[in-house]
Amino acid sequence: MLRRLARAPFTYWRLGLLVLAAALIWVVHFDRWTLASWSLPTDYYIDAHETLARLQAASEGDLVPLRPQVIDRLGAPFGAHWNGYPTPDKPLMVLLGSLVHLVGLYAAANLGLLLAQVTSALAFYCAARWLRCRWEWAAAGALLFAYTYHTFHRGLAHFSLVFTWTIPLGLLAVWLVGGSKRLDWGRPGATLCLGIAAAFGASNPYNLFFWLQLMGWAIIFQAFGAKRRPNLQIGLVSIIVALLGFALVHAESWLHADDAGAIPLLARNYGGTERYALKAVEMFIPPPFHHWDSLAFFGHRYARWSEWRGEVFLPYLGLAGIAGFVWLAVVTVRRIIARRPLPGQALSLGWILTYAMLGGVTNLLALFAGFQIFRATNRAAIFVSAIVLFFLVLRLSRLSNRWPRWVQLAAAAAVAALGVYDQIPRAESAQDVKAIEKMVTADRKFGAELEAALPERAMVFQLPVLGFPEVATPHQLNDYEHFRPYLSTHSLRFTYGTPKMRPRSRWQFEAEKATVPELVRQLEETGFSALYLNRKGYADRGEAILGELTRLGYTHRIESTGGNQLAVLLRSTAASRLPISHGLTLGNGWHLRSDAGVRWTHEQGTASFYNPYPYAVQVELKLTLQAVGPREVVLEHNDEVVQTIAVDVQPGITTLPKFELQPGVNRFSFHCDAPAVRLSNGPNQLRSFGLAASSIQLLPGAPTAHAIAASQ
């Protein structure tokens, strides 16, 4: 079918017109008419900083598939190990990262967003034409799908979710497997199914997750219904290809993971599956920043009245999508009454809603099976939009078949124009755009001054110390804001970006708690050249720390325009030691919240410690353990039993005077066979034993300067 389309008259002209229209809408909305405007990002807050950091890392060769995902200029001095934090759409990130050296970071991000809109439009158009939709209605549906509110409005903050081109072709593959009588090996349909399966495997995991469900149902239909062997085979192979693609793209998550017992970086819980589930009402509520005040009124009302909101307003289907939804619902009901076969779109839509809606299968799996990782099922709304838009344009294509040609074209253009205008939110105000420009300009100047004042690849310690990703930030500081100096420099190394709750980053939090003189001493001994401080992270805007630094004679400052970011230059010396923490980092098994300083577990718990030296070191290890009653706790190190410790209600200290820690991450496990006791019905009340404190001290003769040279 695609070959016939390629040979059809005016096909290239129509595709070119569609690409032009899709691109022009984006350019007009973001006012990107000049080269200067292209050098500014569309967003420069919170999650957008993380997206830009990923692009920066990709441009510097740190996100190459199958290699360890170590971001060289982050997590100084060890690098930020992101193996346990997969990058969605990694091939896309690598591709766009290669453009950064040519056009700049922010222009590459803008090109990516524009590419998302154009590819989504082309994919929907080709799929609709395959389904024998007239070209004008296929183009109208393509523009409506490309600018569906709940993906377009995500923008740079949810960069990966904006790329939805796989969904129309993925739905087409599902329908071919589930219902086509002409699907067979060697034909274009099979090629489409396998190709789009590979694309899903390499793209956003949420889209892959929902597509696998739909393809699974298509296979079940073939296995127990139509029983067309080629369809069944192609469907099964497509699922295998998608899973293999996913495994290949994210292989570093298990190939290079070195802390298997660590707490997952993205913590999920049952409550999140309710908060971020698809809520039916939100598919029909216009956002409060809708172009028309009469519709925006309902968004404001929902914001005032609702009390349990997640990614609010993003599931909005738009007027055209709502019309398609209602039309499909009416046709489905009529066919049920008449006992006729249901439309294929109704079956796909029915399952998506059954799974993703609040109180649906997603909540059942989360509650009874603990399957909580895909908590934000409101993101299935893009599948809802695609399904109802396919239904809408196919029906309108048939309905308008006998209309005069000019009426057909005018009607399709009107639906597209009205629908796109309805879905696109109001453009950013001139004041908001100016604020982004001001921040970007200030960061560029600040970064240039930093690199001029510091040696190449100098290390900068960042305050306040923050974990990564998704942490509660102090005072007025935003999450991911510590990426800003990384984005505006090319050689300097920064401490931010090290994954939270990992042993490599523990030393930073310990150093932050030290007095300012002790902190400065530690940083200079470990080779840091500057101390970066973001004033927004402190109630006193960091004046106490800066005053202490001034009294110590550290007066050489570099301050950003606006004054929120500044760097105090240290007395740079050759590193005499590597930073090392003085306690264990707790992993899986422990309750996340402490009780009077004690972290409890109901059966077993893991912990880890990072030895930065290339050889084993001897330490004194002290553990303070207690339990809900007399019992024995077995301590293991790197899967070998170290000691059995008798614990009781009162805290007891166990000392291992000459304990050897191997290079890299050392894993500890605490086991107890005695049954746990539930102290009350509240959370974290099922307890067996707890860790009140851990202490690790290097013994005399610990490595110094020669170890630095050996480890580099």
Side-chain angles (χ1 to χ4, degrees):
M1 181 65 183
L2 290 177
R3 292 178 182 175
R4 292 199 299 272
L5 284 174
R7 292 194 297 266
F10 307 116
T11 292
Y12 292 121
W13 174 78
R14 293 167 182 169
L15 290 174
L17 183 62
L18 176 63
V19 169
L20 179 62
L24 190 60
I25 293 170
W26 189 91
V27 170
V28 170
H29 178 76
F30 288 109
D31 193 22
R32 292 299 190 269
W33 296 102
T34 65
L35 289 177
S37 65
W38 275 84
S39 66
L40 293 176
T42 58
D43 190 359
Y44 203 60
Y45 302 96
I46 312 177
D47 286 2
H49 285 134
E50 186 203 356
T51 298
L52 292 169
R54 288 185 183 274
L55 285 174
Q56 180 87 321
S59 74
E60 296 176 3
D62 294 335
L63 294 181
V64 177
L66 299 180
R67 283 175 44 187
Q69 306 294 284
V70 180
I71 315 305
D72 177 62
R73 292 203 299 118
L74 296 175
F78 309 125
H81 290 239
W82 286 7
N83 295 312
Y85 187 48
T87 298
D89 281 304
K90 188 179 299 173
L92 171 67
M93 283 290 184
V94 173
L95 172 64
L96 293 175
S98 66
L99 298 178
V100 171
H101 298 291
L102 299 176
V103 300
L105 176 63
Y106 305 129
N110 288 330
L111 284 172
L113 291 174
L114 178 59
L115 181 66
Q117 309 309 134
V118 170
T119 54
S120 295
L122 286 174
F124 188 97
Y125 178 85
C126 291
R129 292 288 283 155
W130 190 306
L131 295 171
R132 303 182 184 277
C133 181
R134 298 182 65 88
W135 76 266
E136 63 272 14
W137 289 110
L143 293 176
L144 290 172
F145 176 76
Y147 286 93
T148 300
Y149 176 79
H150 48 78
T151 51
F152 176 69
H153 186 58
R154 291 182 184 274
L156 195 58
H158 285 171
F159 192 67
S160 178
L161 291 172
V162 179
F163 284 83
T164 59
W165 68 272
T166 56
I167 292 171
L169 297 175
L171 287 172
L172 177 59
V174 168
W175 294 333
L176 287 174
V177 170
S180 176
K181 297 180 180 180
R182 295 180 294 175
L183 188 63
D184 206 347
W185 294 106
R187 303 191 65 170
T191 303
L192 169 71
C193 291
L194 299 181
I196 201 61
F200 268 110
S203 62
N204 186 277
Y206 268 97
N207 294 341
L208 169 64
F209 177 63
F210 294 122
W211 179 80
L212 286 174
Q213 296 178 41
L214 293 177
M215 182 59 79
W217 279 113
I219 291 172
I220 290 173
F221 176 80
Q222 285 295 338
F224 296 98
K227 294 184 179 179
R228 299 186 185 97
R229 180 171 296 179
N231 295 46
L232 184 61
Q233 294 172 342
I234 292 170
L236 287 171
V237 173
S238 296
I239 286 181
I240 293 172
V241 167
L243 293 176
L244 288 176
F246 179 83
L248 181 65
V249 170
H250 299 285
E252 66 279 351
S253 297
W254 51 85
L255 285 178
H256 306 294
D258 58 3
D259 195 356
I263 298 173
L265 291 173
L266 298 177
R268 299 294 182 253
N269 54 43
Y270 175 78
T273 66
E274 289 186 342
R275 178 181 294 275
Y276 297 104
L278 179 63
K279 301 174 180 65
V281 65
E282 291 185 356
M283 295 192 296
F284 305 98
I285 299 177
F289 23 84
H290 196 280
H291 287 288
W292 300 316
D293 291 338
S294 57
L295 294 181
F297 165 81
F298 295 103
H300 286 293
R301 169 180 284 182
Y302 184 71
R304 291 194 307 269
W305 289 5
S306 61
E307 297 180 355
W308 190 250
R309 300 191 300 273
E311 295 176 338
V312 65
F313 302 115
L314 289 176
Y316 176 57
L317 297 178
L319 296 179
I322 292 171
F325 188 97
V326 173
W327 194 350
L328 177 57
V330 170
V331 170
T332 301
V333 171
R334 292 182 61 182
R335 291 198 177 184
I336 291 175
I337 294 173
R339 297 183 179 180
R340 295 172 56 198
L342 300 181
Q345 296 95 336
L347 298 174
S348 300
L349 179 60
W351 171 252
I352 288 293
L353 295 178
T354 299
Y355 183 90
M357 284 181 61
L358 179 63
V361 175
T362 178
N363 296 131
L364 293 174
L365 290 177
L367 183 63
F368 293 106
F371 187 72
Q372 302 162 356
I373 188 168
F374 292 102
R375 60 172 182 173
T377 52
N378 70 83
R379 296 174 183 180
I382 186 60
F383 282 84
V384 177
S385 284
I387 292 168
V388 298
L389 287 175
F390 271 127
F391 177 83
L392 180 68
V393 297
L394 287 170
R395 289 279 169 158
L396 289 174
S397 179
R398 298 169 190 168
L399 182 66
S400 63
N401 193 41
R402 297 184 179 181
W403 296 357
R405 190 64 184 140
W406 70 270
V407 175
Q408 294 174 351
L409 296 175
V415 169
L418 179 65
V420 169
Y421 187 74
D422 160 60
Q423 292 179 163
I424 292 181
R426 296 177 184 178
E428 295 285 344
S429 67
Q431 183 179 0
D432 292 336
V433 174
K434 193 68 177 178
I436 291 177
E437 181 181 5
K438 185 177 179 180
M439 285 192 294
V440 171
T441 302
D443 284 0
R444 284 171 172 159
K445 181 175 180 291
F446 180 64
E449 292 177 352
L450 269 180
E451 291 199 301
L454 298 175
E456 187 175 356
R457 291 189 58 77
M459 295 191 296
V460 181
F461 188 87
Q462 293 176 273
L463 288 176
V465 175
L466 297 178
F468 170 83
E470 293 185 4
V471 298
T473 53
H475 202 50
Q476 296 178 333
L477 187 63
N478 292 321
D479 203 6
Y480 307 126
E481 194 162 354
H482 270 354
F483 278 133
R484 290 172 65 179
Y486 169 67
L487 300 177
S488 60
T489 57
H490 302 285
S491 68
L492 300 182
R493 293 181 288 166
F494 300 89
T495 50
Y496 179 66
T498 304
K500 61 188 179 183
M501 301 175 293
R502 297 297 188 270
R504 284 186 180 88
S505 61
R506 182 183 173 96
W507 77 270
Q508 297 183 31
F509 294 91
E510 294 176 351
E512 183 184 33
K513 295 176 182 177
T515 63
V516 174
E518 176 63 20
L519 171 63
V520 171
R521 184 189 66 80
Q522 290 184 36
L523 295 181
E524 289 182 339
E525 285 183 356
T526 51
F528 281 84
S529 300
L531 179 64
Y532 165 97
L533 186 144
N534 194 312
R535 291 178 178 270
K536 293 169 64 177
Y538 298 91
D540 68 345
R541 293 186 56 77
E543 288 299 332
I545 296 175
L546 294 173
E548 188 72 15
L549 287 169
T550 300
R551 284 190 289 273
L552 293 171
Y554 294 90
T555 58
H556 189 171
R557 300 181 183 178
I558 298 173
E559 194 161 355
S560 68
T561 305
N564 284 328
Q565 300 179 89
L566 61 87
V568 179
L569 271 59
L570 304 177
R571 299 180 184 121
S572 181
T573 60
S576 61
R577 66 182 181 90
L578 290 171
I580 193 166
S581 63
H582 298 286
L584 296 179
T585 300
L586 300 191
N588 287 322
W590 309 92
H591 297 317
L592 293 179
R593 295 181 180 178
S594 62
D595 184 358
V598 181
R599 290 282 295 277
W600 292 88
T601 180
H602 62 84
E603 182 179 359
Q604 63 181 10
T606 62
S608 57
F609 182 88
Y610 180 63
N611 172 12
Y613 298 102
Y615 45 79
V617 297
Q618 281 195 334
V619 300
E620 180 185 73
L621 172 62
K622 289 185 178 181
L623 303 171
T624 304
L625 293 164
Q626 66 184 94
V628 294
R631 57 197 61 210
E632 292 184 339
V633 174
V634 178
L635 173 64
E636 294 182 359
H637 173 242
N638 292 343
D639 300 324
E640 293 185 1
V641 175
V642 174
Q643 187 171 334
T644 299
I645 306 170
V647 294
D648 209 331
V649 175
Q650 295 301 319
I653 298 177
T654 298
T655 301
L656 301 176
K658 291 186 177 181
F659 192 80
E660 191 171 85
L661 294 172
Q662 299 302 314
V665 176
N666 290 256
R667 300 180 303 278
F668 293 85
S669 297
F670 299 78
H671 301 271
C672 181
D673 294 334
V677 176
R678 180 169 292 281
L679 303 183
S680 71
N681 289 326
N684 302 327
Q685 295 299 303
L686 183 62
R687 300 176 178 180
S688 176
F689 64 94
L691 180 66
S694 65
S695 172
I696 293 178
Q697 295 296 330
L698 286 174
L699 295 179
T704 54
H706 72 279
I708 304 291
S711 63
Q712 291 179 342

